[in-house]
Amino acid sequence: MINALPIAAFVVLALLWPGWRQPEDDLGEVVEATAFTARVHAYAGLYSEDAPAGEIPMLVRRFEFYPAVRLQAGQSYRLLLMAEDSVHSVAVNGHEMLLMPGRVQAVEITPQPGDEVELRCNEYCGLGHNRMRLKVY
Ligand SMILES: [Cu+2]
């Protein structure tokens, strides 16, 4: 007969291991995807160039971060990111967040003169995935 105790212990430990599950709140704020998308398009119509400090709603999709905006050094921004077409992710400053439709994740940045910040998608999403970066200078 097989000793079930080591197997049971393994299963219990595996279920308790925190790395297996991502807490719900790490997935971002729940939003109405259509309304958020409309907000992004309205914003993109207003600011294609220098974005004023504050919130910037953005869509993450194959294979871009939209809209492309220019940030001003010394100003604080809160990028609100929602995946539009499938699951993506954003990696910035050593942190990674999963992005999915209907959920918004916030990234706060205050670029300094000469800074180079790169946001990139770390979730393979297709052939153009490698191009999927947002550079902030
Ligand atoms: Cu990707």
Side-chain angles (χ1 to χ4, degrees), residues 41-63:
H41 289 296
Y43 186 92
L46 288 175
Y47 309 107
S48 59
E49 290 284 291
D50 294 312
E55 294 191 334
I56 304 182
M58 297 187 112
L59 294 173
V60 181
R61 60 192 183 193
R62 295 188 186 96
F63 297 102

Side-chain angles (χ1 to χ4, degrees), residues 21-127:
R21 291 162 291 139
Q22 189 164 20
E24 269 289 291
D25 19 315
D26 279 6
L27 296 174
E29 186 196 336
V30 177
V31 291
E32 213 286 291
T34 315
F36 185 82
T37 303
R39 187 178 162 198
V40 171
H41 289 296
Y43 186 92
L46 288 175
Y47 309 107
S48 59
E49 290 284 291
D50 294 312
E55 294 191 334
I56 304 182
M58 297 187 112
L59 294 173
V60 181
R61 60 192 183 193
R62 295 188 186 96
F63 297 102
E64 63 176 352
F65 288 83
Y66 176 86
V69 287
R70 188 156 58 204
L71 306 185
Q72 302 168 68
Q75 302 288 328
S76 294
Y77 296 92
R78 191 172 152 85
L79 309 182
L80 303 176
L81 307 171
M82 184 188 81
E84 186 179 29
D85 48 9
S86 66
V87 175
H88 295 281
S89 78
V90 64
V92 63
N93 298 334
H95 292 282
E96 188 176 350
M97 291 184 271
L98 208 57
L99 301 174
M100 51 182 69
R103 295 272 192 159
V104 167
Q105 296 275 24
V107 173
E108 293 184 10
I109 44 175
T110 305
Q112 300 304 319
D115 260 9
E116 200 178 299
V117 185
E118 186 182 68
L119 280 80
R120 45 185 291 180
C121 174
N122 259 2
E123 194 73 22
Y124 183 76
C125 54
L127 277 180

